[in-house]
């Protein structure tokens, strides 16, 4: 008997194979280390790349640029350029990007509830000890 989480979502049939499941796309999104971090960082509104990099910490300029371009192609954010001297660029979440905040918040809540359990299982002790 399959285990269902407390708030399971029922989805329409998706095809003959498990790999056809639309949730596969969502797992791919969260497989990127920086994509959820960028979405979360942009939750309050648009930011310039230098401000994103400063707020995130630990991400190289090259990785930030690559991830922003990928997210733009995916329709998760919009790039706005301003004809100023010097030129200014900002990135802002689209509706699809903002909707990703729901599972990001859910994963954060899960990590808050179960992080110590996972750490204890992995390392044999509670990191707070």
């Amino acid at each position: 008997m399959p285990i269902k989480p407390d708030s399971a979502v029922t989805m329409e049939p998706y095809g003959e194979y498990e790999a056809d499941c639309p949730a596969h796309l969502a797992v791919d999104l969260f497989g990127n280390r920086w994509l959820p971090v960028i979405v979360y960082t942009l939750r309050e509104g648009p930011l310039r790349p230098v401000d994103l990099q400063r707020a995130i910490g630990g991400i190289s300029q090259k990785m930030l640029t690559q991830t922003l371009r990928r997210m733009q192609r995916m329709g998760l954010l919009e790039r706005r350029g301003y004809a100023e001297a010097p030129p200014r660029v900002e990135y802002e979440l689209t509706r699809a990007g903002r909707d990703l905040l729901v599972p990001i918040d859910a994963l954060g809540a899960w990590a808050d509830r179960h992080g110590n359990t996972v750490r204890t299982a992995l390392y044999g002790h509670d990191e707070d000890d």
Side-chain angles (χ1 to χ4, degrees), residues 70-89:
R70 180 173 182 241
M71 292 173 69
Q72 188 178 1
R73 284 192 309 273
M74 297 171 85
L76 300 176
L77 55 80
E78 292 179 354
R79 178 185 187 273
R80 290 202 182 102
Y82 297 91
E84 299 175 350
R88 179 171 57 105
V89 173

Side-chain angles (χ1 to χ4, degrees), residues 12-116:
E12 294 295 319
Y14 45 79
E16 187 174 346
Y17 303 105
E18 293 293 329
D20 296 335
C21 178
H24 187 77
L25 170 65
V27 172
D28 285 346
L29 290 175
F30 284 91
N32 179 297
R33 176 181 181 181
W34 296 111
L35 190 146
V37 175
I38 291 171
V39 169
Y40 189 77
T41 305
L42 288 171
R43 73 192 178 283
E44 299 294 328
L47 289 172
R48 297 173 67 188
V50 68
D51 296 325
L52 265 172
Q53 189 175 19
R54 191 176 301 123
I56 292 169
I59 187 171
S60 70
Q61 181 62 48
K62 178 181 177 184
M63 184 54 62
L64 178 63
T65 300
Q66 288 176 347
T67 307
L68 289 171
R69 287 180 182 158
R70 180 173 182 241
M71 292 173 69
Q72 188 178 1
R73 284 192 309 273
M74 297 171 85
L76 300 176
L77 55 80
E78 292 179 354
R79 178 185 187 273
R80 290 202 182 102
Y82 297 91
E84 299 175 350
R88 179 171 57 105
V89 173
E90 289 183 338
Y91 289 91
E92 183 173 21
L93 296 173
T94 62
R95 180 176 180 182
R98 285 189 307 274
D99 283 352
L100 270 176
L101 289 166
V102 174
I104 289 170
D105 287 343
L107 282 172
W110 180 90
D112 188 52
R113 282 193 306 273
H114 302 290
N116 285 337

